[in-house]
Amino acid sequence: MSSDIVRIFDTTLRDGEQAPGCSMTVEEKRQVARQLARLGVDVIEAGFPAASPGDWDAVRAIAADAYDWPTAPTICGLARATRKDIEAAATALAGAPSFRIHTFLATSDVHLQYKLQMTRERVLRRVQEMVSYAASFTHDVEFSPEDASRSDVGFLHEVLRTAIDAGATTLNIPDTVGYTTPDEYFTLIAGIRDHVVGQRGVTISTHCHDDLGLAVANSLAGVQAGARQVECTVNGIGERAGNAALEEVVMALRTRRARYNADTTVHTEEIGRASRLVSRCTSVRVPPNKAIVGANAFAHEAGIHQDGMLKNRETYEIMHAETVGLEGGRLVLGKHSGRAALRAHLATLGHALNDVETDAVFAKFKDVADRKKVVNDRELEAIVAGETRRGSATYTLVLVQVSCGTHAIPTATVKLRGPDEQELVAAAQGDGPVDAVCRAINDCVGDVGELIEFSVDAAAEGINAVGGVSIRLRERAGHKHAATDTERGAEPFGDTPATESLHTASGFGVHTDIIVATAEAYVAAVNGLIRARARAMQEVAA
């Protein structure tokens, strides 16, 4: 029996990035978009162009990059149901080989009364006008009735018919607040299929949030009811409790293909790499028990399980780690490997680095390789993430030295190279070696921000494995330009973009010495805050 194809609409760069602490730079978004193309998703929602100049720039850059990808997904931009938003999306997307405008308007009574203050008649007129306007820029228009799962069904159907008549080719049905259950969502989608879409050739899409832990289950129920597009994010990141996790939806359909009579065209062997990249770019760690991509997803410790695995993997595994690109631990490069071999291997991993980036990665690779015999793929990807995310650097770490112990006061000495090649040296004491390092760096550069997130992750197994440190800083209130960087994003299918009064920046460091990695990450985050302030000044001046 042949399976229907379900399109995967990835919104990691839009809805996923709106999650607190998940903001990415333009270059990080471009990296993630390239990996999503390798993954084989059908649509990439690259951002919300009207939300901020930075979002518009990111969408435009990804649209242009798509021409260089072997197989380019459709590039999509979100827009509220206003002419200004739709025009911003159209101009940002214009350079893409294929693009979609995704516009939305709330339909639930609570949204109409308290947020929009609109009557149902006004909503119907707005939908007709704005979907028609979006269709004047492209034949590929998606419409979403925000909070559909809590909307009056009769009115919802009327709105969706209006959207189809105005030119919508995809109807996305958001469970915006993660309220519905699988049986309810099945009934909702089936009703739209039978009473709205019929034979009109319009695709029904799901968009489910995870507030009750049901996002993936609801999405799959939608597929069973006839939806043929699922909106999801890598690692399930997104507003509040997150979105349906791409990896879980894809592998559920692949593993239970006979049950759902549906599948995707996703290259599942790229899932692991996509998960790690998004985790590093957002500085949000994947829980070890996370389905499909967690560190324990394919680990077996119980004796009975291990015995079964030794006899036949199918006793305790319904899929293999290799299927989702989590083979890990494969030793590939060592300290005698040359630049050409490194660059060629990086290309097989999907990293197209320029000469400057290759030089930086090669130098760090050699530094790590000198400390251990071999560097495996996961460690190499951590190195690439650390070296290609730095951007322009005001300060560079030259030296870090720490003294600590059970009866010693933790003390750190750091040397930085600052503007005009000036060397800055400071020593500080702290509650522990990490605190001492951060205090010493602050003594060199000034107390530019407060540490709001610190995480350590081993890139591989073993006592000498490369460690990755992610740090996020938030500038302190009262700093100059602290309140100028607004309109970072918008509520999922909301009507007003959210604001963020204080800049945040993340840094990532990689080293076999976790204290050195901490210093590298902290300096990178400081540089990120400086760049954020510079951009804010430019926007104010413009």
Side-chain angles (χ1 to χ4, degrees), residues 121-204:
E121 291 71 22
R122 284 186 60 199
V123 168
L124 288 169
R125 288 197 300 271
R126 178 77 69 84
V127 170
Q128 194 282 324
E129 293 169 2
M130 292 303 107
V131 173
S132 295
Y133 191 53
S136 70
F137 294 99
T138 174
H139 69 280
D140 193 348
V141 177
E142 178 171 329
F143 173 73
S144 292
E146 182 187 8
D147 206 19
S149 60
R150 295 194 297 170
S151 298
D152 175 76
V153 173
F155 177 60
L156 176 63
H157 287 187
E158 191 174 1
V159 169
L160 294 176
R161 291 189 194 99
T162 300
I164 295 175
D165 292 341
T169 53
T170 299
L171 298 178
N172 182 49
I173 313 302
D175 181 27
T176 305
V177 294
Y179 176 74
T180 196
T181 61
D183 58 325
E184 293 172 332
Y185 199 63
F186 178 96
T187 300
L188 179 65
I189 297 297
I192 293 169
R193 179 198 65 201
D194 294 339
H195 303 299
V196 177
V197 173
Q199 303 299 315
R200 303 182 72 174
V202 172
T203 300
I204 302 174

Side-chain angles (χ1 to χ4, degrees), residues 164-446:
I164 295 175
D165 292 341
T169 53
T170 299
L171 298 178
N172 182 49
I173 313 302
D175 181 27
T176 305
V177 294
Y179 176 74
T180 196
T181 61
D183 58 325
E184 293 172 332
Y185 199 63
F186 178 96
T187 300
L188 179 65
I189 297 297
I192 293 169
R193 179 198 65 201
D194 294 339
H195 303 299
V196 177
V197 173
Q199 303 299 315
R200 303 182 72 174
V202 172
T203 300
I204 302 174
S205 173
T206 70
H207 181 106
C208 299
H209 280 262
D210 209 33
D211 297 71
L212 295 176
L214 296 171
V216 171
N218 286 335
S219 299
L220 294 172
V223 170
Q224 285 185 302
R228 285 300 175 262
Q229 176 179 286
V230 174
E231 301 199 357
C232 45
T233 62
V234 175
N235 296 338
I237 63 172
E239 288 280 3
R240 303 182 313 279
N243 291 60
L246 178 150
E247 60 276 6
E248 296 178 27
V249 171
V250 168
M251 291 312 298
L253 292 175
R254 183 66 50 87
T255 306
R256 302 300 308 275
R257 192 168 4 193
R259 167 70 175 172
Y260 291 103
N261 190 31
D263 199 357
T264 74
T265 57
V266 165
H267 308 306
T268 61
E269 66 277 6
E270 294 291 337
I271 285 176
R273 187 172 295 120
S275 172
R276 292 191 294 270
L277 177 61
V278 169
S279 176
R280 291 188 182 117
C281 286
T282 60
S283 298
V284 175
R285 296 182 64 185
V286 176
N289 64 326
K290 172 75 172 63
I292 313 301
V293 293
N296 294 344
F298 296 95
H300 304 273
E301 184 170 340
I304 294 175
H305 287 220
Q306 291 176 342
D307 179 64
M309 286 292 295
L310 290 171
K311 294 173 179 175
N312 189 314
R313 292 176 68 177
E314 293 184 3
T315 55
Y316 287 101
E317 282 190 354
I318 59 171
M319 67 192 96
H320 294 164
E322 296 82 358
T323 306
V324 293
L326 292 180
E327 66 277 15
R330 188 162 55 93
L331 308 181
V332 289
L333 295 170
K335 67 178 183 178
H336 299 297
S337 300
R339 186 187 307 266
L342 175 66
R343 193 166 195 169
H345 189 69
L346 288 174
T348 67
L349 297 179
H351 300 291
L353 307 184
N354 59 37
D355 290 340
V356 174
E357 292 170 333
T358 300
D359 289 344
V361 170
F362 184 69
K364 172 61 76 171
F365 163 73
K366 280 293 191 180
D367 181 49
V368 171
D370 280 339
R371 289 175 166 80
K372 52 183 305 187
K373 293 181 180 180
V374 290
V375 181
N376 65 37
D377 285 357
R378 288 169 59 189
E379 293 173 317
L380 195 56
E381 287 186 342
I383 291 171
V384 172
E387 295 304 311
T388 59
R389 290 174 56 193
R390 298 197 186 282
S392 58
T394 303
Y395 298 99
T396 305
L397 180 69
V398 177
L399 174 148
V400 58
Q401 182 174 313
V402 172
S403 173
C404 62
T406 55
H407 299 293
I409 298 175
T411 305
T413 301
V414 300
K415 179 190 290 187
L416 305 182
R417 184 171 294 113
D420 302 320
E421 298 298 308
Q422 177 186 11
E423 286 197 347
L424 306 168
V425 180
Q429 296 176 341
D431 294 333
V434 169
D435 185 45
V437 166
C438 295
R439 288 175 182 269
I441 293 173
N442 283 345
D443 287 345
C444 289
V445 304

